[in-house]
Amino acid sequence: MKVFKNFNIGKKFQNSALAVGNFDGIHLGHKKVLKAARLKSKKNKIYFGALTFEPLPVMFFNKSIKNHRINKLSQKIEQLKKQKLDFLVIKKFDRKFSKINYLNFIKRILYQKLKCKFLFVSKNFKFGNKREGDVSKLKKFEKKFFYKTIITPPLKKKKKTISSTIIRKLLKSGEIKKANYLLNRKWEIIGKVIKGSQRGRKIGFPTCNILLKKYIIPKFGVYAVNVKINNISKKGIANIGYRPTFNGKKLLLEVNIFGIKKNLYNKNINVVFNKFIRPEKKFNNIIELKNQIKKDIKQAK
């Protein structure tokens, strides 16, 4: 998969089947659209590509939204690669780009730069300055700019349309198994291990501490997880929250990895979420906390 950071994709990848969207999470609904584009490209013997935006437009326009992402960019790229794309365009979503009106988006980008032959979007797709562009406007200019708009019917489970919004709600409510089902894989956070207060080490349960940064914040509490370090995968438990027993001030993901004692500071690890065990709780003393951690570990194992 060839990755472009601008619209200069060259003649090789023009006249393609192109899917456009934020693709946060690459869930089952996204995969349905991408599969339709892939099959169309195969049938017409043309290239298959995707156009996505960074940062997510909602986070660009609303600076107060700090924790929103299901996946970080590197994960999005990896998941899109698995969909067998020939090329991916990652457009920086900045002030200048946000001011392009809908007609110039169609004319200058879709037609002059990308020259896509088939354009795959969701029925709610909006684009251009003040989100003035929509599916009806895309269809209006199809013949003039030589492309065909294809809207894949949304994928539904139990009469609900699968969306990144629904998955975020599931994560916030601790419904990990349901979120994993809609993602068609287990949700994971990738982050660098930072040095903490080392309280876990002192009470016999050392943890790897990770900042959530722009990830969506799941329900505070304890989770059964798997931790991937390079090619090694180990089980563990993770706590997300402020550590109320210690009056913590910083939001952290703390992971106790079973069977690993070595120093992992500054190492990147993947924390894969399997199941929500219990909500975060403030304990009266260290002994109560240690007894509960022992129960959590037993349940996670």
Side-chain angles (χ1 to χ4, degrees):
M1 182 179 77
K2 178 75 173 176
V3 178
F4 297 93
K5 294 295 179 70
N6 54 52
F7 297 122
N8 299 319
I9 63 173
K11 289 185 178 180
K12 178 179 178 179
F13 294 113
Q14 291 177 343
N15 298 302
S16 65
L18 183 73
V20 183
N22 292 319
F23 300 120
D24 186 30
I26 314 294
H27 51 65
L28 286 171
H30 292 142
K31 289 176 181 178
K32 182 181 179 182
V33 175
L34 292 164
K35 182 180 179 181
R38 183 171 66 247
L39 291 175
K40 179 66 77 172
S41 72
K42 191 174 182 180
K43 183 179 179 181
N44 288 270
K45 296 181 181 179
I46 56 179
Y47 284 110
F48 163 42
L51 166 61
T52 192
F53 312 100
E54 286 291 331
L56 299 180
V58 68
M59 296 183 77
F60 171 80
F61 285 116
N62 190 344
K63 303 302 182 185
S64 66
I65 299 176
K66 302 296 183 185
N67 298 92
H68 188 73
R69 302 190 67 123
I70 298 170
N71 287 157
K72 64 195 304 185
L73 177 58
S74 62
Q75 291 171 292
K76 182 197 287 192
I77 293 171
E78 188 61 30
Q79 287 299 321
L80 285 170
K81 190 175 181 181
K82 289 180 180 179
Q83 303 310 306
K84 300 178 181 178
L85 269 72
D86 295 307
F87 70 97
L88 171 64
V89 179
I90 304 171
K91 178 65 182 83
K92 182 179 179 181
F93 199 94
D94 54 20
R95 182 66 58 187
K96 182 179 179 181
F97 182 69
S98 72
K99 295 295 183 183
I100 295 174
N101 68 47
Y102 77 89
L103 186 54
N104 279 334
F105 180 88
I106 294 172
K107 180 181 177 181
R108 295 179 184 175
I109 297 171
L110 296 182
Y111 172 61
Q112 294 178 349
K113 291 286 188 180
L114 302 177
K115 288 189 183 297
C116 63
K117 190 170 184 179
F118 299 101
L119 180 67
F120 288 77
V121 295
S122 69
K123 67 176 183 179
N124 297 319
F125 180 63
K126 303 284 187 181
F127 62 96
N129 187 29
K130 298 180 180 178
R131 293 164 57 87
E132 291 176 340
D134 56 18
V135 169
S136 65
K137 289 185 173 67
L138 284 174
K139 286 187 171 294
K140 180 180 178 181
F141 291 96
E142 284 180 335
K143 290 183 179 179
K144 184 174 182 178
F145 295 114
F146 308 103
Y147 64 85
K148 175 69 176 175
T149 307
I150 299 175
I151 300 149
T152 306
L155 184 61
K156 295 187 177 183
K157 296 290 182 183
K158 296 181 180 179
K159 297 182 180 180
K160 289 187 177 181
T161 300
I162 296 175
S163 67
S164 300
T165 300
I166 285 178
I167 292 170
R168 291 186 193 101
K169 288 179 179 178
L170 290 172
L171 294 172
K172 285 181 178 180
S173 61
E175 297 179 83
I176 292 296
K177 284 193 170 183
K178 288 183 180 179
N180 288 346
Y181 173 69
L182 297 184
L183 287 168
N184 198 34
R185 66 182 184 283
K186 291 180 178 179
W187 183 60
E188 60 184 301
I189 287 176
I190 300 176
K192 184 179 287 187
V193 178
I194 62 171
K195 196 165 186 176
S197 59
Q198 298 188 322
R199 288 196 188 98
R201 187 182 302 276
K202 291 171 185 175
I203 64 173
F205 302 100
T207 61
C208 294
N209 300 332
I210 296 171
L211 296 173
L212 292 179
K213 295 192 173 179
K214 295 180 181 179
Y215 278 107
I216 191 78
I217 300 172
K219 185 175 181 177
F220 287 178
V222 178
Y223 295 80
V225 299
N226 280 75
V227 182
K228 293 186 284 188
I229 310 156
N230 297 324
N231 294 321
I232 300 170
S233 181
K234 293 284 187 180
K235 290 184 178 180
I237 58 168
N239 183 79
I240 291 178
Y242 287 94
R243 303 157 310 287
T245 304
F246 301 106
N247 297 312
K249 303 298 182 185
K250 183 186 290 185
L251 176 64
L252 283 176
L253 164 59
E254 297 178 295
V255 190
N256 175 250
I257 308 170
F258 307 154
I260 287 185
K261 296 182 180 179
K262 64 181 180 179
N263 187 332
L264 294 174
Y265 291 139
N266 296 316
K267 300 284 186 183
N268 280 315
I269 64 173
N270 294 42
V271 184
V272 183
F273 288 75
N274 298 317
K275 186 180 179 181
F276 181 76
I277 293 178
R278 64 168 176 86
E280 188 174 47
K281 179 183 175 182
K282 183 172 183 176
F283 295 91
N284 294 318
N285 53 57
I286 300 300
I287 294 173
E288 280 188 13
L289 173 60
K290 288 175 71 172
N291 288 337
Q292 184 60 57
I293 292 174
K294 289 175 183 178
K295 292 178 184 178
D296 296 338
I297 289 174
K298 185 177 180 181
Q299 187 174 346
K301 285 183 175 179

